[in-house]
Amino acid sequence: HVVGPEQGFTLPGTMLVCAPDNTKLLALSGLNFNNRHVVDFLQRDLKPRLESWKSRDAGARDLQSLQAQFQRINDARLGQACRFSARLITGGAPDGDSGFKALADLGVKSIISVEGEAPDTERAATYKLRCVHIPISHRGISQEQALHLARAVRDLPAPVYVYAYGAPERAPVAAAAAGVVLGEMSQDQARQAVLAAGMDTFACPLLHGSLAKIAKAAPEALDALKSVFVERAELSPDAAAMSELNVLFKRLDKLRRNDWKPLATDPRTDAEQTAVALLTRFTAINFSEQIRARTEHYRGHMKDAEAASLELVRAVKTWSANGNSASGIPAVNNAYNRVGSQCVHCHQGLRDK
């Protein structure tokens, strides 16, 4: 399409050349809109630019075709759930009875946690779900881990739901890696599956980049694995500490959304108790042997997080001493946000790179 004065374009001396979908190929205006530039474009640039557009357009259609294979599941009880195949579903951690009921409604028979926190086996038993714990690092998934995940996806009662809570990017990457090992996805399909699940591939480049190293395995290789599917895997001290922090943050987030009042689902847990537990956990980390081996940058983040946790404890105690009034909630929220921001800064600066 060429739009110029003769087509009624009101700004004289302007020409736009667009591809059939209105992608701009050329824009000339003012002194640049002259015969020489138009002829140069038509003789030299039009064909390669149009071919480039055709290539991108075909790629976009292929992307849409690939992503159409992976179905987003619009269920508010499950965060960013996506069906990769009839056997394999991925998404956020099931939260409480409503989350596990959502899995039951999907027909899920087995769940795999790929984060530090093990599955809630008690609730899972209520809904007759098989639980497996295969934690992977935020710095990437190895071929060996992908093999064990693939074996689990292949052998556990299906459908299988792969999930993570604290680091939601892990779940679709882990599920896609299992799909590649099983030969159910190509590398391109695995990458598009992660995108279809709504994950930001720039958020955790090491994790997403590790997918490129995953290769298909023969069934015999999976059969030869000495896989033992456990409900609670043994974690490194660092991973165990982060998992405990994640549990406490989940609880604090629920309390925040309940205006810091005790939860109906667990009335024994109150804001002060949970805030003190978080402070205790950060203090223990900062006095541990493991912290001494970490970088000064990391130790600084953990000290700042401990200080922010102390502020949260003080804010909650002040709010409680003043009768839990609504006017005191903003101060508690601000203290909670400061703790969260310390975690975000650490993740962005250290974990996700």
Side-chain angles (χ1 to χ4, degrees), residues 91-228:
D95 188 9
D97 287 321
S98 63
F100 280 90
K101 178 64 165 59
L103 294 179
D105 292 344
L106 287 172
V108 169
K109 303 299 182 186
S110 305
I111 59 175
I112 302 175
S113 169
V114 294
E115 63 179 351
E117 186 180 348
D120 184 342
T121 53
E122 186 176 339
R123 277 200 174 94
T126 302
Y127 293 93
K128 299 180 180 179
L129 298 174
R130 175 77 184 274
C131 297
V132 174
H133 190 203
I134 308 178
I136 67 171
S137 169
H138 217 82
R139 291 185 170 272
I141 181 171
S142 67
Q143 178 71 13
E144 182 180 359
Q145 288 174 319
L147 288 170
H148 287 283
L149 275 165
R151 174 78 180 267
V153 170
R154 188 193 70 174
D155 294 352
L156 290 173
V160 178
Y161 185 75
V162 179
Y163 75 87
Y165 179 92
E169 296 85 2
R170 295 184 199 185
V173 169
V180 171
V181 171
L182 292 171
E184 296 177 357
M185 293 185 192
S186 66
Q187 281 285 347
D188 283 342
Q189 288 173 317
R191 285 189 288 270
Q192 301 313 323
V194 171
L195 291 175
M199 296 297 104
D200 181 1
T201 58
F202 295 101
C204 306
L206 292 177
L207 180 63
H208 291 99
S210 65
L211 261 179
K213 301 176 183 178
I214 305 303
K216 178 182 176 181
E220 296 78 13
L222 296 181
D223 294 337
L225 285 176
K226 296 180 180 179
S227 292
V228 179

Side-chain angles (χ1 to χ4, degrees), residues 199-272:
M199 296 297 104
D200 181 1
T201 58
F202 295 101
C204 306
L206 292 177
L207 180 63
H208 291 99
S210 65
L211 261 179
K213 301 176 183 178
I214 305 303
K216 178 182 176 181
E220 296 78 13
L222 296 181
D223 294 337
L225 285 176
K226 296 180 180 179
S227 292
V228 179
F229 301 139
V230 298
E231 294 181 344
R232 183 178 297 275
E234 185 175 348
L235 302 175
S236 69
D238 279 350
M242 292 301 111
S243 177
E244 291 172 13
L245 289 173
N246 183 44
V247 171
L248 292 170
F249 266 109
K250 270 200 296 187
R251 196 175 299 160
L252 283 169
D253 186 55
K254 291 179 181 178
L255 286 164
R256 178 187 61 80
R257 286 184 274 125
N258 198 45
D259 288 336
W260 299 102
K261 299 171 186 175
L263 303 172
T265 54
D266 189 1
R268 297 168 299 174
T269 302
D270 64 11
E272 184 174 335

Side-chain angles (χ1 to χ4, degrees), residues 9-157:
F9 200 71
T10 57
L11 180 63
T14 299
M15 182 173 75
L16 299 175
V17 181
C18 301
D21 67 346
N22 294 325
T23 297
K24 184 176 69 176
L25 301 178
L26 174 73
L28 295 174
S29 61
L31 296 177
N32 289 322
F33 185 17
N34 55 56
N35 290 342
R36 181 172 63 82
H37 285 156
V38 172
V39 171
D40 284 348
F41 171 76
L42 294 174
Q43 292 183 339
R44 184 186 63 195
D45 297 333
L46 175 60
K47 185 175 180 179
R49 291 191 187 185
L50 195 56
E51 289 300 322
S52 176
W53 168 80
K54 288 179 180 178
S55 176
R56 289 198 301 271
D57 185 56
R61 289 196 301 270
D62 290 343
L63 172 61
Q64 292 173 353
S65 176
L66 284 172
Q67 292 191 352
Q69 301 174 21
F70 313 116
Q71 304 168 3
R72 290 294 293 273
I73 298 171
N74 296 317
D75 191 326
R77 298 172 296 177
L78 296 172
Q80 293 182 305
C82 186
R83 185 183 293 276
F84 283 2
S85 68
R87 164 174 291 276
L88 182 58
I89 306 172
T90 183
D95 188 9
D97 287 321
S98 63
F100 280 90
K101 178 64 165 59
L103 294 179
D105 292 344
L106 287 172
V108 169
K109 303 299 182 186
S110 305
I111 59 175
I112 302 175
S113 169
V114 294
E115 63 179 351
E117 186 180 348
D120 184 342
T121 53
E122 186 176 339
R123 277 200 174 94
T126 302
Y127 293 93
K128 299 180 180 179
L129 298 174
R130 175 77 184 274
C131 297
V132 174
H133 190 203
I134 308 178
I136 67 171
S137 169
H138 217 82
R139 291 185 170 272
I141 181 171
S142 67
Q143 178 71 13
E144 182 180 359
Q145 288 174 319
L147 288 170
H148 287 283
L149 275 165
R151 174 78 180 267
V153 170
R154 188 193 70 174
D155 294 352
L156 290 173

